[in-house]
Amino acid sequence: MNPDPDYSAAYLRVDLGVQGRGVQGRGVQDHGVQEQGVQRQGDHPAAPDGDLPSGHAFVFTIGRGNDIQLAAVASVAERLIGRPVRAVLDDLGGLWRELVHDSQLRWLGPEKGVMQMAIGAVVNAMWDLKAKLAGKPLWLLLSEMPSEALVDLVDFRYLTDVLTPEQALSRLRRWEDSRGERIEALRRNGYPAYTTTPGWLGYSDEKLARLCAEAVQQGFAQIKLKVGGNVADDRRRMAIAREVVGTEIRIATDANQRWETAEAIEWVRQLAEFDPVWIEEPTNPDDLLAHAEIARGVAPIRVATGEHMANRVMFKQFLQAGALQVAQIDATRVAGVNENLAMLLLAAQFDVPVCPHAGGVGLCEAVQHLSMFDYVAVSGTVDGRVIEYVDHLHEHFVTPVELRQGNYVAPLAPGAGTEMLPASLERYRWSGRG
Amino acid sequence: MNPDPDYSAAYLRVDLGVQGRGVQGRGVQDHGVQEQGVQRQGDHPAAPDGDLPSGHAFVFTIGRGNDIQLAAVASVAERLIGRPVRAVLDDLGGLWRELVHDSQLRWLGPEKGVMQMAIGAVVNAMWDLKAKLAGKPLWLLLSEMPSEALVDLVDFRYLTDVLTPEQALSRLRRWEDSRGERIEALRRNGYPAYTTTPGWLGYSDEKLARLCAEAVQQGFAQIKLKVGGNVADDRRRMAIAREVVGTEIRIATDANQRWETAEAIEWVRQLAEFDPVWIEEPTNPDDLLAHAEIARGVAPIRVATGEHMANRVMFKQFLQAGALQVAQIDATRVAGVNENLAMLLLAAQFDVPVCPHAGGVGLCEAVQHLSMFDYVAVSGTVDGRVIEYVDHLHEHFVTPVELRQGNYVAPLAPGAGTEMLPASLERYRWSGRG
């Protein structure tokens, strides 16, 4: 479904001005991982004031439309200009409600697509700023917040049929006393990752086999293969991968929305003998009833989805319908950390593991914080959980992710991981067409 | 949920240039029905070339974010510049697929919110142009197309589990021979309307009673009341309305997404004695499982929704789940005439009546064409069907709707009804902030 991505981002920086406030938005577009044909235009980004930290966030896009996304981010961010920053940072739940329930902006969704992602960038930039001011990585900042404060971050409107604030609080309290142990475990062991490197369509069988072997050598316990082009090809590639990685390494599959319902069931059954751990995005990402039917049709192979999940209300329904067994939250698709926190709580309520979507530009850097916080305070476990890892574009970030023996190393630097290097912002800045 | 609407529109005009091509987009914002405090800025709109018709369309918004919507419309429209217009108009199904399945733009949805509405404006402008060039109102243009050509307009991707192209063709053929009779009936009788005039919250009981009586005198067979503020108030207002209109006139109710699931069921049951014909938007418009539960809980009162329906895949699921019994399609929420045609076919497949959402700016003018076409070629009936009518802002349109004895008069002027008067575009043009 995504034949020609042109990896891009609508990028937001929130500066503390001389009065300790101010917002600035601008757009950065990275023309593909080859970094060729880059057109650089526009002014130099302004330097932040002195040593005050800035809040950074972005919406990952795949090319055309990045300018629309940027306009939406700027429009939402503008509302914060001139506000006392500390007051905003002390009530990020209130900020979320204000932005999401703005009735005029809400009309353009409600709670989906360009506007929801724009709100997400603004919310996430404030979280980055808050974490930097606290001198902590975001995952640790969240992991040290009182349970009551975490519940206050979530808007339970339209969720109460499956999750009330009281139920959420009760869940968080269950793990409160032992948070310290899991924080230490994260610092020691990191968080399990899986790699998509071997699995792109178009690789020769020899390259597939070689990359599978390398993934095992690098310590990954799971790999992922794209499927859905041709079932005979998929079977051959699955056979090669299974042969190389053995029976202990998990193989996930990803169809990128290619199928109709019946086709999905038929196709996945033909891959069953190679023991795929999940089938990802079998059909249209809004179609929870189709996902539920597919899940029934391909069990015990699990259905995974979430990178295009529009909001917490859709997520709730996928859980209610048994339409997903693996929840792939995304750091920049919904309205930021707060909405992802709601989704972590919902997933835990249904005992569904969260295995975030990553890759793109900076999604690995951002989403690792959510999984680590989930382990410390929400689900209390890493069993069956794994964060996607795609090995590209990390060099553009101030605090790039670090992998060690197939695990994300817990980041220690203050912030949400979402700040790009000034040189990258400058080099790939995009303000033209084409 | 919409306490302070500032009725607006992102407006698109597609001009045939001297080479018979060209696209121009610009924004118009109408600052409320009082038309006070209007700020007029910007250049005069350029006049179209000679006597060639232009295609006009818009996305209705309620204020902030209209500029974002306009940017999205312009971005999509730009892709048409320089194309041979006749070729585009001869394959509007192909245009729809091209725009909706553009993988880069699709990332910003997929198929929802700002981007889907932007595609809708472009598609609808082309339909307006096509109808003008054919010298026919849109409803008649569609009603005279061969069934095969209508099926070609629809993208059945992700719909085939409930509706295949063959099933759609079979349905359309059923009514083909008798289309002429219904075209004549429309010209003679028009299409039933209902009025929202009596039902706004905040009116005194006396005003409510007076407006209910006027609606009956004007010939409307249905009125609609807003509910959800306070159950005692709702009961009192329903009692007054029922007393005034008698038992033969239908009373619809509209909650504008106010409730949680259980709350909705409890509340609506307390209104049951006043025999409401439907409860509209009881909760979050994405929540088909909640709507289905509410529908089961309040039957035989029907659940109505659709003005925020993001796309045909969501609509399909609402039908599958029994989550709506009245389908309120909207002319500018989805990707234009083609997607609404898909929704008309789906509704007919599930035998659910289509009672369009209207009001706003120009929605009455636009959506009447879809209902009239539905009657002629898809459902073959007006039984249980009624188009919303809101009596404002019609004076800004070149071909304003005409009501006669509670019925929309079938429009005869060529086009889709979506062209605004140059003077209105000029007067309410908006290019600033605030």
Side-chain angles (χ1 to χ4, degrees), chain A residues 1-6 60-69 71-72 75 78-79 101-115 117 156-161 257-261 283-290 307-308 310-311 313-314 316-317 320-321 333 357 433, chain B residues 1-6 60-69 71-72 75 78-79 101-115 117 156-161 257-261 283-290 307-308 310-311 313-314 316-317 320-321 333 357 433:
Chain A
M1 295 295 286
N2 307 316
D4 56 351
D6 184 7
F60 169 58
T61 74
I62 60 172
R64 276 188 297 282
N66 193 56
D67 50 339
I68 300 166
Q69 187 60 60
S75 177
E78 192 176 281
R79 301 179 59 165
H101 296 304
D102 176 305
S103 67
Q104 295 189 0
L105 291 180
R106 186 176 165 78
W107 187 266
L108 300 176
E111 302 189 40
K112 53 179 67 71
V114 168
M115 292 312 303
M117 294 193 283
F156 289 87
R157 183 159 205 180
Y158 304 131
L159 301 183
T160 60
D161 45 353
Q257 311 172 30
R258 281 173 181 256
W259 298 317
E260 303 290 288
T261 304
T283 189
N284 185 289
D286 290 338
D287 201 336
L288 62 107
L289 298 184
E307 72 180 270
H308 290 93
N311 55 52
V313 175
M314 289 301 295
K316 178 191 75 166
Q317 293 180 83
Q320 287 176 289
R333 174 67 62 184
H357 171 247
R433 296 184 180 284
Chain B
M1 296 296 285
N2 306 316
D4 56 349
D6 185 6
F60 169 58
T61 74
I62 61 172
R64 277 187 297 283
N66 193 56
D67 51 338
I68 300 165
Q69 186 60 60
S75 177
E78 192 177 280
R79 300 180 58 165
H101 295 306
D102 175 306
S103 67
Q104 295 188 359
L105 291 181
R106 187 175 164 79
W107 187 266
L108 299 176
E111 302 189 38
K112 54 178 66 72
V114 169
M115 293 312 303
M117 295 192 283
F156 289 87
R157 185 159 203 180
Y158 304 131
L159 302 183
T160 60
D161 45 354
Q257 312 172 28
R258 282 172 180 255
W259 297 317
E260 302 291 288
T261 304
T283 189
N284 184 290
D286 290 338
D287 202 336
L288 62 107
L289 298 183
E307 73 181 90
H308 290 93
N311 55 52
V313 175
M314 289 302 293
K316 178 191 74 167
Q317 293 180 84
Q320 287 176 290
R333 175 66 62 184
H357 171 247
R433 297 183 179 283

Side-chain angles (χ1 to χ4, degrees), chain A residues 46-370:
Chain A
D49 294 309
D51 292 310
L52 291 170
S54 300
H56 296 247
F58 55 84
V59 178
F60 169 58
T61 74
I62 60 172
R64 276 188 297 282
N66 193 56
D67 50 339
I68 300 166
Q69 187 60 60
L70 182 65
V73 171
S75 177
V76 176
E78 192 176 281
R79 301 179 59 165
L80 298 187
I81 293 176
R83 294 201 191 177
V85 168
R86 290 287 179 176
V88 172
L89 294 182
D90 284 347
D91 184 20
L92 288 176
L95 176 68
W96 195 93
R97 290 178 185 84
E98 175 193 337
L99 296 178
V100 171
H101 296 304
D102 176 305
S103 67
Q104 295 189 0
L105 291 180
R106 186 176 165 78
W107 187 266
L108 300 176
E111 302 189 40
K112 53 179 67 71
V114 168
M115 292 312 303
Q116 195 77 345
M117 294 193 283
I119 292 170
V122 173
V123 168
N124 285 345
M126 299 311 288
W127 276 108
D128 182 50
L129 182 57
K130 182 172 174 129
K132 285 172 178 164
L133 288 167
K136 293 177 183 173
L138 175 62
W139 70 269
L140 185 61
L141 175 73
L142 291 168
S143 296
E144 292 179 350
M145 286 177 72
S147 296
E148 293 77 5
L150 291 169
V151 169
D152 281 346
L153 295 171
V154 173
D155 181 8
F156 289 87
R157 183 159 205 180
Y158 304 131
L159 301 183
T160 60
D161 45 353
V162 306
L163 183 67
T164 64
E166 296 71 28
Q167 288 171 312
L169 187 60
S170 159
R171 172 170 299 281
L172 291 169
R173 285 209 172 121
R174 188 186 313 172
W175 296 106
E176 214 170 50
D177 290 347
S178 57
R179 283 188 192 176
E181 301 162 20
R182 287 182 299 282
I183 289 172
E184 282 314 304
L186 277 176
R187 286 178 167 143
R188 203 167 49 240
N189 308 323
Y191 195 105
Y194 74 92
T195 178
T196 61
T197 298
W200 302 94
L201 294 173
Y203 287 174
S204 70
D205 291 351
E206 292 69 27
K207 186 169 182 179
L208 167 64
R210 175 170 57 79
L211 293 174
C212 285
E214 288 177 10
V216 176
Q217 286 156 17
Q218 287 161 9
F220 290 103
Q222 180 175 321
I223 63 171
K224 187 164 80 182
L225 268 58
K226 299 281 185 185
V227 296
N230 174 295
V231 74
D233 286 346
D234 288 348
R235 285 177 53 83
R236 193 186 68 255
R237 294 168 63 248
M238 287 289 285
I240 292 168
R242 181 54 76 199
E243 171 72 21
V244 172
V245 303
T247 56
E248 293 303 303
I249 305 292
R250 295 183 299 274
I251 305 178
T253 58
D254 182 359
N256 287 108
Q257 311 172 30
R258 281 173 181 256
W259 298 317
E260 303 290 288
T261 304
E263 185 183 16
I265 295 170
E266 171 62 22
W267 197 300
V268 174
R269 284 179 177 168
Q270 293 187 65
L271 307 180
E273 68 186 273
F274 309 106
D275 192 23
V277 63
W278 76 54
I279 176 65
E280 179 172 332
E281 286 208 316
T283 189
N284 185 289
D286 290 338
D287 201 336
L288 62 107
L289 298 184
H291 278 75
E293 187 173 337
I294 293 165
R296 289 189 295 270
V298 306
I301 300 167
R302 297 180 295 167
V303 168
T305 191
E307 72 180 270
H308 290 93
M309 190 72 68
N311 55 52
R312 72 207 187 288
V313 175
M314 289 301 295
F315 189 67
K316 178 191 75 166
Q317 293 180 83
F318 269 81
L319 292 165
Q320 287 176 289
L324 61 74
Q325 289 76 47
V326 177
Q328 301 181 299
I329 63 169
D330 182 284
T332 79
R333 174 67 62 184
V334 297
V337 168
N338 299 57
E339 187 154 21
N340 269 312
L341 173 52
M343 291 163 76
L344 294 176
L345 286 164
L346 285 164
Q349 186 78 356
F350 284 84
D351 201 21
V352 165
V354 173
C355 300
H357 171 247
V361 177
L363 297 181
C364 298
E365 276 72 15
V367 86
Q368 60 177 337
H369 291 271
L370 299 172

Side-chain angles (χ1 to χ4, degrees), chain B residues 1-233:
Chain B
M1 296 296 285
N2 306 316
D4 56 349
D6 185 6
Y7 282 13
S8 310
Y11 192 87
L12 171 71
R13 190 181 77 206
V14 178
D15 289 341
L16 294 174
V18 281
Q19 291 85 28
R21 61 199 192 196
V23 166
Q24 178 185 342
R26 62 210 158 75
V28 174
Q29 184 169 40
D30 175 339
H31 283 255
V33 292
Q34 286 78 28
E35 301 178 3
Q36 294 170 344
V38 171
Q39 199 176 1
R40 183 160 63 82
Q41 297 180 17
D43 300 333
H44 285 239
D49 294 309
D51 291 310
L52 291 171
S54 300
H56 296 247
F58 55 85
V59 178
F60 169 58
T61 74
I62 61 172
R64 277 187 297 283
N66 193 56
D67 51 338
I68 300 165
Q69 186 60 60
L70 182 65
V73 171
S75 177
V76 176
E78 192 177 280
R79 300 180 58 165
L80 298 187
I81 293 177
R83 293 201 192 178
V85 168
R86 290 286 178 175
V88 172
L89 294 181
D90 284 347
D91 184 20
L92 288 176
L95 176 68
W96 196 93
R97 290 178 185 86
E98 174 192 338
L99 296 178
V100 172
H101 295 306
D102 175 306
S103 67
Q104 295 188 359
L105 291 181
R106 187 175 164 79
W107 187 266
L108 299 176
E111 302 189 38
K112 54 178 66 72
V114 169
M115 293 312 303
Q116 196 77 345
M117 295 192 283
I119 291 170
V122 174
V123 167
N124 285 346
M126 299 311 287
W127 276 108
D128 183 50
L129 183 57
K130 182 172 175 131
K132 285 172 179 164
L133 289 169
K136 293 177 183 172
L138 176 62
W139 70 269
L140 185 60
L141 175 74
L142 291 168
S143 295
E144 292 179 348
M145 285 177 71
S147 297
E148 293 78 3
L150 291 169
V151 169
D152 282 346
L153 294 172
V154 173
D155 182 8
F156 289 87
R157 185 159 203 180
Y158 304 131
L159 302 183
T160 60
D161 45 354
V162 306
L163 183 67
T164 64
E166 295 71 28
Q167 288 171 312
L169 187 60
S170 161
R171 172 169 301 279
L172 291 169
R173 285 210 173 122
R174 188 185 315 172
W175 296 107
E176 214 168 53
D177 289 347
S178 55
R179 284 188 192 175
E181 301 163 21
R182 288 182 297 283
I183 290 172
E184 282 315 303
L186 278 176
R187 286 178 168 144
R188 202 167 51 238
N189 308 324
Y191 195 105
Y194 74 92
T195 177
T196 61
T197 298
W200 301 95
L201 294 174
Y203 287 174
S204 70
D205 291 351
E206 292 67 30
K207 184 168 183 180
L208 168 64
R210 175 170 56 80
L211 293 174
C212 284
E214 287 177 10
V216 176
Q217 286 156 16
Q218 288 162 6
F220 289 102
Q222 180 174 320
I223 62 170
K224 187 164 80 183
L225 267 59
K226 300 281 184 185
V227 296
N230 173 294
V231 74
D233 286 345

